[in-house]
Amino acid sequence: MPCLEERTMTFTLTSNDFKDGDTLPDAQVQSKGDTSPHLAWSGAPEGTKSFAITVFDPDAPTGSGFWHWTVANIPVDVTEIPAGGPLPQGAVEGRTDYGEPGFGGAAPPPGHGPHRYVFTVFAVDTDRLEVTPEDSGAKYGFNLHFHTLARASITATYENRG
């Protein structure tokens, strides 16, 4: 069985809203739009039964980063999410570090410098992860750790200059 790095070579994630390495557009900034971006993916490996999405800021001054979006149980025949949704039937959004389910846009502290926002789609080996809207990003991540066949990511940055 190939290692995860080998299986991710053909699994790709793109967005019509930004490219890997870009600055996030205002639509994905909490105070300016707070809208989830368009995401599309292709090349998921054989055995994929569903997809999940996470958006994580590893630069947040929390000691553990900041979860901006967690989504699981996206049906395997869905390979694109439009900006602002809607999510497909059966998908479940988890609680972000803002305290509620749904997408939470970029909002780094003023003067803290640029933050990275890692948008990841996971190819999952089960139809359904046992997660709820009340579950944290950490719980989504824990479940994904045991069920990920491959992942594809793009990263954008944003800085709040105050």
Side-chain angles (χ1 to χ4, degrees), residues 135-156:
D135 290 332
S136 68
K139 185 166 181 185
Y140 275 66
F142 178 82
N143 279 274
L144 285 167
H145 177 79
F146 294 102
H147 292 284
T148 297
L149 295 171
R151 66 180 142 242
S153 297
I154 54 177
T155 301

Side-chain angles (χ1 to χ4, degrees), residues 54 67 69-70 94-97 135-142 144:
T54 63
W67 294 99
W69 200 23
T70 55
R95 180 175 43 86
T96 69
D97 284 338
D135 290 332
S136 68
K139 185 166 181 185
Y140 275 66
F142 178 82
L144 285 167

Side-chain angles (χ1 to χ4, degrees), residues 57-61 68 107-109 112-117 155-160:
D57 171 3
D59 303 311
H68 285 266
H112 196 255
H115 283 217
R116 294 169 290 160
Y117 297 86
T155 301
T157 61
Y158 182 75
E159 180 175 3
N160 183 352

